Amino acid sequence: MRNNVFYIFLYLLVFNTVLVAHSTSVITLTAQEQSYLKSHSVLKAHNEQNWPPFNFNENGIAKGFSIDYMNLLAKKLNIKVKYISGYSWSEYMKMVHTPDLDVIINISKNKQRAKLISFTEQFYTTQNAIYTNKKNHNFRTLEDLKFKTVAISKGFFIQRFLERDHQDIKLVFVKNQLEALKLLSLGKVDATIGKKVVMDYIISHNNISNIVVTNYIEDKKSISNIRLGVSKDDKILRDILQKGQDAVSYKEFRELKEKWFGVKTDIKDSVLNLTDKQKEYLKTKNELTVCVKKGWLPYESFENGKFIGLSADFLNLYAKKLNISLKIINTENQTKSLEYLKARRCDIKPLIEIETKAIIPYKSTETYFSDTISLTTKIEQPYISNIRNIKNQTVIVLKGFNNLTTLIKTEYPNLKLKVVDDINTALALVAKGDAFGYIGTSLSSSYYIQKQFSNRLKILNSFKKFEFGIGVENSEPMLLEILNKTMKQTTQTEKTDIYNRWIVTTVENKPDYTLVWQVVVTSVLILITMIYFLIKEKKLKKRLELKNKDIEKYKNRLELAFSGSNDGLWDWDLINNTIYFSPRFKSMIGYRDDEIENSIDTWESLVHPDDLEQANRDIQSHLDGETEMYENTHRLKHKDGSWIWILDRGKAQFDKDGKATRFIGTHTDFTREKELTDNLAHLVSQNIKELREKDNTLLQQSKLAAVGEMVGNIAHQWRQPLNIIGAINMKVETMLDFGESITAKNYLAVSDDINKQLQFMSKTIDDFRDFFNDSKEKSDFDIFETINEVYSLINIQYTNKNIHLEIKGDNIVYYGLKNELKQVLINILNNAKDAIVSQQDKNIIKDGYIQIILKRTEKYIIIEIKDNGGGIPENIMDKIFEPYFTTKFKSKGTGIGLYMSYQIIHEHMDGLIDIKNVKYKHNGKQFAGALFTITLPIDINLKIDKE
């Protein structure tokens, strides 16, 4: 009896605990998340003044779709919301990182914002439209708004889009979209851009006239996917809000949309743009029947009565967008699935190969993800580059994958095939050694290897790519069109979220209602982790022992190789300051293999005193990263007291912090005849000197080659101010001829005009003088400003030739030789100009176009220069950087401009310069030309691999 009472008491205790857990929230939260909400029972959310119907304030009350959506989440999370009003958008963006604001309840995600803000998944999608005054109803596209004034709210998503992709549009920033529409109504701006549903609401509720909507912006990048946003540091709140979003039902979401947008279905007309027939089809269809194969994760499976997997997440997303239900039919295996498909029992097959040859009455949508066929083997199997090299081995395939079976029999006849029902059986047979390998899709193989066979199996090789779409029954062409349209409007973020869920990692969170279960589960996990790492450590030790044996074997081979060569090997351990000398090195200076260690104190004692300082300098220069390799010619002391000349080469190894840890190199014996080596050293020195003089001469020739064009540019630059001064002089002469007196007052304006022109002419001379300044002093300079300075030197001739030059990029500071970079840019731009003029002379093109794009990565500065000059013939592409090679007449070209550009970038700036022909579109026109790419390292110690 006592035992029964105890169990009843225990049951009631657990039951009450569960009831409490359920009463606090309809959502399963972790202990950490529950603790967070206890200390943040009131969330501060932003409330905008005028962004209806999403978020606005009316008579001091927060209203709108976003407000109601946030209230719904708060109800589910059992918390309260305090709405913060009276601030601008840009102010809210700053406040969310302070205690004054917890969440922004309608925000679009972009790269810039993602640096500081964590986002939930999107809950609504809106499309921007163009609004104009009735007088300007012809402004239908962003191209039509080029050089026009457009009013937008500062800090909104559309601002970043326009500034990045449509820089020719003049932006006028306002506080909110009501203000933008008022300016437009009064004719003070040409247009405004905003979310159509928002703009229409503001116009109708504020009686704004003279405004029409002309068109949607079709660019996908302008579509806003609305989410909740919190500070990047508040990830717990982000996860809590996401769980709240996940708990919102279709019915609840649809009711909110009907209330604020008058939408009776969940179809996003503004984005999907479905036809009336397609909308009617979905209303009539009501649900889609889906054939799902069991046990084929991460693609698809049917487990515990639920459709799961990568394809399940995609289909559920599409169904949510289309407001249609899915009816799942479990087909158990691939064979059964094919039978159901042939019998037309399903509308949809979640996965079908785009180019499938299977005889089933299904067509595929466009690709929504791809995979490869791979070979899985035991983990110790060495890499095999070509599967055809595997002969007389048994490989396993799954039953029902007839296309794959046919492929293997046709292309790999040396393999023996074995067919099994499921992938777990297949991988278990491979792990036991009963088969050489398993051939199947890579993602599925990887998924099951990670779950059960991570220490025994690996994917050895991938050898064929497959594109996957959704299979749609032949009699449903309308459904095929609708799915393709929905897939096209699925955002990259939505896709990435699904991929990450199944391909990168799989996390299962089960609700823990009592502390006991939390302790038990945690203890078991810790125990499993400890056992796992003990096994891993044991295997790692074994591998290290094998690896050390391999290292010792290769070390012995390397020593043997150098022992038989004419070069001596040395290996200097900089951490322990110990040096290994190969037998050949020792014999080179007269010692036996076991003598030298006891005969010298340091390596420096072997080097001739007159050569030691230079050797140390060269070593330090290499260790500091100034040279790719250490190289020095010096004398070493022979055992008999004489000196021998050697060529010493070496290269240092560096750790992750850039510290040199090892120095390895060789000694080559020149000769013991001093006179011969002195002569050789003199010849080498002389050749190097001559090469340097030649390089300097070519550099000056390259500059002088530009003098003619520069003088022409000066003449063009000066022509206009000289004409203006002449006109002013004529005006003065005319006044004197008519007897008019010139007072100090009316001459002051004349004097100002003349001074302005003279200052312009003086600046022109200064700019050209700076270009020809031969300074070799490195300094910090702004590359974007330098590009503009170059253009100011040459723009007149470009304008005269109808060549438009566009410069894009940000201000980037670089440490180097400014004038040498200027010379490179002028050489490339002049070549582009000549190519364009040649095309114009042949009437191939009318207007020229050159674009310079400046961008920066983590390690490099990249300058891209492309033109529409038709490109470079492929047969001379490899020669254009050679000295004296030119395609111009001798009177027009020397062939040293691009050669010197190559030398400056490679040798003086440690960078790369590359060229290729490109075809591209600009302003709707197709262009063909050359693309020069200059890559410069940001860190002066960073060396680019130029192989």
Side-chain angles (χ1 to χ4, degrees):
M1 181 68 181
R2 287 179 181 175
N3 286 340
N4 289 337
V5 172
F6 171 75
Y7 284 123
I8 291 171
F9 173 76
L10 183 61
Y11 171 79
L12 289 173
L13 178 64
V14 173
F15 183 70
N16 284 333
T17 305
V18 173
L19 281 178
V20 170
H22 276 284
S23 68
T24 56
S25 175
V26 296
I27 299 165
T28 303
L29 300 176
T30 66
Q32 188 181 21
E33 289 167 345
Q34 290 177 21
S35 174
Y36 182 95
L37 288 184
K38 282 182 181 178
S39 59
H40 298 76
S41 58
V42 178
L43 291 182
K44 294 185 280 292
H46 97 291
N47 171 219
E48 297 179 46
Q49 288 299 110
N50 208 341
W51 203 57
F54 287 96
N55 191 343
F56 61 102
N57 191 289
E58 193 171 83
N59 300 322
I61 300 172
K63 292 184 177 182
F65 172 79
S66 299
I67 300 292
D68 282 359
Y69 185 74
M70 186 64 206
N71 290 338
L72 178 61
L73 301 191
K75 183 179 179 181
K76 291 181 178 292
L77 293 166
N78 196 28
I79 57 174
K80 295 181 179 179
V81 181
K82 178 182 178 181
Y83 290 101
I84 309 300
S85 306
Y87 298 92
S88 67
W89 177 258
S90 56
E91 287 171 333
Y92 283 126
M93 291 289 286
K94 295 175 183 176
M95 288 169 63
V96 77
H97 304 293
T98 72
D100 297 331
L101 189 68
D102 296 310
V103 56
I104 296 178
I105 60 175
N106 39 254
I107 184 170
S108 298
K109 183 178 180 180
N110 60 38
K111 289 182 180 178
Q112 195 67 25
R113 290 176 179 174
K115 294 176 182 177
L116 299 172
I117 294 177
S118 288
F119 300 88
T120 64
E121 293 177 7
Q122 69 179 65
F123 61 88
Y124 196 80
T125 301
T126 62
Q127 192 167 3
N128 283 288
I130 298 172
Y131 288 77
T132 69
N133 194 287
K134 285 183 179 179
K135 298 176 183 177
N136 299 325
H137 62 274
N138 291 327
F139 296 155
R140 299 184 55 80
T141 68
L142 294 176
E143 283 298 314
D144 296 335
L145 293 175
K146 198 172 181 180
F147 307 120
K148 304 299 180 184
T149 53
V150 175
I152 61 168
S153 298
K154 188 171 180 61
F156 272 32
F157 176 82
I158 195 68
Q159 176 190 350
R160 180 78 177 166
F161 167 72
L162 294 175
E163 287 178 337
R164 184 187 63 231
D165 296 343
H166 297 277
Q167 297 177 5
D168 294 326
I169 296 176
K170 300 175 183 177
L171 301 182
V172 176
F173 296 113
V174 294
K175 188 173 182 180
N176 55 51
Q177 292 191 299
L178 175 60
E179 187 178 330
L181 288 166
K182 286 180 178 178
L183 288 177
L184 180 61
S185 176
L186 295 171
K188 294 185 178 181
V189 293
D190 296 309
T192 185
I193 296 172
K195 310 291 185 296
K196 187 173 186 301
V197 65
V198 175
M199 304 295 262
D200 290 349
Y201 190 100
I202 296 173
I203 291 169
S204 63
H205 283 70
N206 290 274
N207 297 317
I208 299 175
S209 58
N210 298 325
I211 291 177
V212 293
V213 57
T214 60
N215 204 357
Y216 283 112
I217 297 176
E218 296 300 332
D219 194 320
K220 291 181 182 178
K221 290 180 286 186
S222 74
I223 295 173
S224 297
N225 298 308
I226 297 177
R227 310 161 188 266
L228 304 180
V230 302
S231 173
K232 196 80 169 179
D233 299 328
D234 208 355
K235 188 177 183 301
I236 296 176
L237 177 57
R238 182 266 168 209
D239 293 342
I240 292 170
L241 293 172
Q242 184 59 59
K243 288 183 177 181
Q245 283 188 212
D246 293 341
V248 175
S249 67
Y250 289 152
K251 183 181 178 183
E252 290 170 325
F253 193 75
R254 185 169 62 246
E255 287 173 353
L256 284 183
K257 291 184 69 175
E258 287 175 3
K259 174 182 177 181
W260 289 103
F261 309 124
V263 179
K264 298 301 181 185
T265 74
D266 203 35
I267 301 170
K268 296 175 176 56
D269 296 340
S270 63
V271 178
L272 296 179
N273 197 23
L274 298 179
T275 65
D276 291 338
K277 286 184 178 180
Q278 289 169 341
K279 294 175 190 175
E280 189 60 37
Y281 169 88
L282 289 174
K283 287 180 182 178
T284 306
K285 189 71 176 175
N286 198 34
E287 72 175 13
L288 300 176
T289 307
V290 185
C291 282
V292 177
K293 174 184 172 307
K294 187 177 180 181
W296 198 30
L297 291 174
Y299 311 107
E300 66 183 47
S301 188
F302 192 83
E303 296 180 8
N304 300 321
K306 189 177 179 182
F307 176 28
I308 62 171
L310 190 147
S311 62
D313 286 359
F314 271 108
L315 277 179
N316 284 327
L317 175 65
Y318 301 153
K320 186 175 181 180
K321 288 175 180 285
L322 297 168
N323 192 34
I324 195 165
S325 301
L326 299 179
K327 180 182 177 182
I328 309 302
I329 297 179
N330 177 17
T331 59
E332 294 295 331
N333 56 46
Q334 180 73 358
T335 303
K336 202 74 175 174
S337 183
L338 290 173
E339 291 175 4
Y340 275 50
L341 295 175
K342 290 176 182 177
R344 304 194 179 205
R345 294 182 59 178
C346 312
D347 296 318
I348 287 176
K349 182 183 186 303
L351 286 165
I352 189 169
E353 186 196 343
I354 297 293
E355 299 178 357
T356 183
K357 302 290 192 298
I359 307 172
I360 55 174
Y362 279 73
K363 291 181 180 177
S364 173
T365 63
E366 295 178 4
T367 301
Y368 71 109
F369 76 92
S370 61
D371 197 2
T372 57
I373 298 298
S374 62
L375 171 65
T376 299
T377 64
K378 297 181 79 169
I379 202 164
E380 58 267 23
Q381 173 63 42
Y383 175 74
I384 299 171
S385 60
N386 193 331
I387 295 177
R388 288 186 174 84
N389 295 333
I390 304 171
K391 297 181 180 180
N392 301 318
Q393 295 283 4
T394 299
V395 295
I396 302 174
V397 293
L398 298 186
K399 186 177 180 180
F401 286 79
N402 300 328
N403 288 351
L404 179 57
T405 304
T406 303
L407 170 73
I408 296 169
K409 286 180 178 178
T410 305
E411 298 193 18
Y412 307 99
N414 293 325
L415 297 176
K416 299 175 184 178
L417 284 182
K418 183 174 182 177
V419 179
V420 300
D421 288 330
D422 61 84
I423 188 171
N424 272 322
T425 303
L427 295 177
L429 289 171
V430 176
K432 289 178 185 176
D434 294 340
F436 176 79
Y438 160 71
I439 293 181
T441 53
S442 298
L443 293 180
S444 184
S445 299
S446 176
Y447 181 85
Y448 285 98
I449 287 171
Q450 289 179 34
K451 284 180 75 73
Q452 300 178 52
F453 303 96
S454 61
N455 293 322
R456 291 185 286 170
L457 300 179
K458 68 178 180 183
I459 292 177
L460 184 70
N461 206 328
S462 297
F463 54 95
K464 185 173 177 60
K465 184 177 180 181
F466 285 98
E467 304 285 338
F468 289 105
I470 299 171
V472 179
E473 208 271 317
N474 279 352
S475 62
E476 300 281 3
M478 185 77 73
L479 178 58
L480 186 69
E481 293 174 7
I482 292 170
L483 285 174
N484 275 330
K485 194 171 283 188
T486 309
M487 290 163 72
K488 284 181 180 178
Q489 296 299 332
T490 302
T491 67
Q492 188 58 48
T493 302
E494 290 172 322
K495 294 177 186 176
T496 302
D497 288 344
I498 294 174
Y499 292 147
N500 289 345
R501 206 173 299 153
W502 290 101
I503 297 173
V504 178
T505 182
T506 302
V507 180
E508 293 180 327
N509 291 319
K510 296 185 178 180
D512 298 324
Y513 295 110
T514 66
L515 181 62
V516 174
W517 281 111
Q518 290 176 1
V519 172
V520 169
V521 171
T522 303
S523 301
V524 170
L525 287 173
I526 291 171
L527 182 61
I528 291 171
T529 304
M530 288 175 64
I531 293 170
Y532 171 78
F533 279 107
L534 284 171
I535 295 170
K536 199 86 172 173
E537 183 182 9
K538 187 175 179 182
K539 290 190 174 184
L540 184 60
K541 283 182 179 178
K542 189 173 181 180
R543 286 186 191 174
L544 285 173
E545 287 174 5
L546 292 171
K547 184 62 72 177
N548 286 333
K549 287 180 181 178
D550 287 341
I551 291 170
E552 189 63 31
K553 180 174 69 176
Y554 289 124
K555 181 182 176 184
N556 292 337
R557 285 182 183 176
L558 190 63
E559 290 178 3
L560 181 63
F562 271 97
S563 296
S565 74
N566 288 324
D567 290 336
L569 171 69
W570 50 268
D571 182 354
W572 184 7
D573 183 344
L574 297 173
I575 303 299
N576 301 311
N577 198 26
T578 58
I579 301 182
Y580 163 79
F581 296 113
S582 71
R584 172 59 185 150
F585 176 86
K586 296 172 186 178
S587 66
M588 203 183 287
I589 53 176
Y591 290 89
R592 293 197 312 271
D593 193 18
D594 59 347
E595 280 186 316
I596 194 166
E597 283 82 0
N598 301 320
S599 303
I600 62 170
D601 297 324
T602 62
W603 68 269
E604 289 97 331
S605 63
L606 287 173
V607 181
H608 195 287
D610 294 343
D611 302 334
L612 184 57
E613 184 180 351
Q614 184 61 46
N616 275 320
R617 267 204 306 267
D618 291 343
I619 289 171
Q620 194 58 48
S621 178
H622 173 59
L623 294 178
D624 290 341
E626 295 175 9
T627 57
E628 287 284 336
M629 177 177 283
Y630 159 69
E631 184 170 310
N632 181 269
T633 304
H634 59 257
R635 289 162 286 185
L636 288 181
K637 191 172 185 178
H638 196 270
K639 185 180 178 182
D640 64 11
S642 61
W643 296 95
I644 67 165
W645 281 86
I646 57 95
L647 174 63
D648 192 4
R649 287 193 182 97
K651 197 161 188 176
Q653 294 178 352
F654 300 87
D655 62 17
K656 63 180 181 181
D657 298 321
K659 182 181 178 182
T661 58
R662 194 170 217 88
F663 208 178
I664 302 172
T666 61
H667 281 159
T668 302
D669 186 357
F670 269 5
T671 177
R672 292 179 66 180
E673 295 295 330
K674 181 178 182 303
E675 293 81 5
L676 181 60
T677 54
D678 280 344
N679 289 335
L680 180 60
H682 174 73
L683 287 172
V684 170
S685 175
Q686 189 65 28
N687 283 335
I688 291 172
K689 183 178 178 182
E690 289 176 1
L691 286 171
R692 285 176 178 166
E693 288 177 354
K694 183 178 180 182
D695 185 62
N696 288 331
T697 301
L698 285 173
L699 186 61
Q700 290 305 314
Q701 285 180 356
S702 177
K703 279 195 173 184
L704 289 172
V707 167
E709 291 209 37
M710 291 299 158
V711 171
N713 283 331
I714 293 173
H716 282 293
Q717 297 273 32
W718 277 14
R719 183 168 291 137
Q720 185 177 4
L722 286 173
N723 287 339
I724 292 172
I725 291 172
I728 293 170
N729 185 54
M730 187 177 294
K731 181 180 178 181
V732 173
E733 288 179 351
T734 304
M735 291 172 66
L736 293 173
D737 287 342
F738 282 89
E740 296 181 27
S741 61
I742 300 176
T743 65
K745 183 178 179 181
N746 60 24
Y747 183 72
L748 188 60
V750 172
S751 175
D752 284 345
D753 284 344
I754 293 174
N755 282 333
K756 285 179 184 177
Q757 303 309 320
L758 291 176
Q759 286 171 11
F760 173 80
M761 295 168 72
S762 176
K763 185 178 183 304
T764 302
I765 285 295
D766 288 341
D767 289 343
F768 283 94
R769 183 190 61 198
D770 289 343
F771 171 70
F772 288 104
N773 180 14
D774 197 28
S775 172
K776 294 294 182 184
E777 290 291 327
K778 289 186 177 182
S779 62
D780 289 323
F781 64 91
D782 190 311
I783 294 185
F784 188 82
E785 290 179 0
T786 301
I787 294 171
N788 279 288
E789 288 173 12
V790 166
Y791 184 56
S792 71
L793 294 174
I794 59 177
N795 72 84
I796 292 295
Q797 291 202 35
Y798 283 66
T799 304
N800 291 342
K801 297 292 184 181
N802 291 326
I803 299 173
H804 173 64
L805 191 141
E806 181 181 30
I807 304 170
K808 289 185 175 183
D810 299 319
N811 295 84
I812 299 173
V813 175
Y814 176 75
Y815 179 75
L817 298 170
K818 180 177 179 179
N819 276 348
E820 293 204 352
L821 180 60
K822 276 187 177 182
Q823 184 175 352
V824 170
L825 294 171
I826 286 174
N827 287 337
I828 294 173
L829 291 172
N830 280 339
N831 272 273
K833 180 198 70 176
D834 293 341
I836 291 169
V837 170
S838 175
Q839 296 286 91
Q840 290 172 331
D841 291 343
K842 297 173 184 176
N843 293 322
I844 297 174
I845 59 173
K846 182 179 179 182
D847 297 321
Y849 174 71
I850 299 174
Q851 184 187 63
I852 303 177
I853 298 176
L854 174 63
K855 50 192 175 183
R856 173 178 179 154
T857 66
E858 185 179 349
K859 293 183 178 180
Y860 304 109
I861 296 168
I862 299 169
I863 307 171
E864 293 180 348
I865 305 171
K866 62 183 177 184
D867 58 59
N868 66 334
I872 298 168
E874 293 296 333
N875 62 327
I876 65 167
M877 184 71 81
D878 294 337
K879 300 178 181 178
I880 66 163
F881 290 122
E882 294 179 4
Y884 304 110
F885 177 80
T886 180
T887 57
K888 307 171 189 175
F889 291 111
K890 290 184 178 180
S891 61
K892 294 186 177 181
T894 62
I896 60 173
L898 291 181
Y899 167 71
M900 283 315 304
S901 299
Y902 182 90
Q903 294 299 313
I904 289 169
I905 297 299
H906 270 244
E907 304 302 329
H908 299 192
M909 308 181 84
D910 288 318
L912 288 175
I913 183 169
D914 188 32
I915 185 171
K916 64 179 179 180
N917 290 328
V918 291
K919 292 183 178 179
Y920 60 99
K921 275 189 175 181
H922 178 71
N923 290 341
K925 296 180 181 178
Q926 187 73 36
F927 287 160
L931 169 63
F932 282 85
T933 303
I934 299 170
T935 305
L936 303 174
I938 294 172
D939 185 349
I940 59 174
N941 295 315
L942 181 65
K943 304 294 182 183
I944 300 180
D945 183 4
K946 300 174 184 174
E947 292 299 321

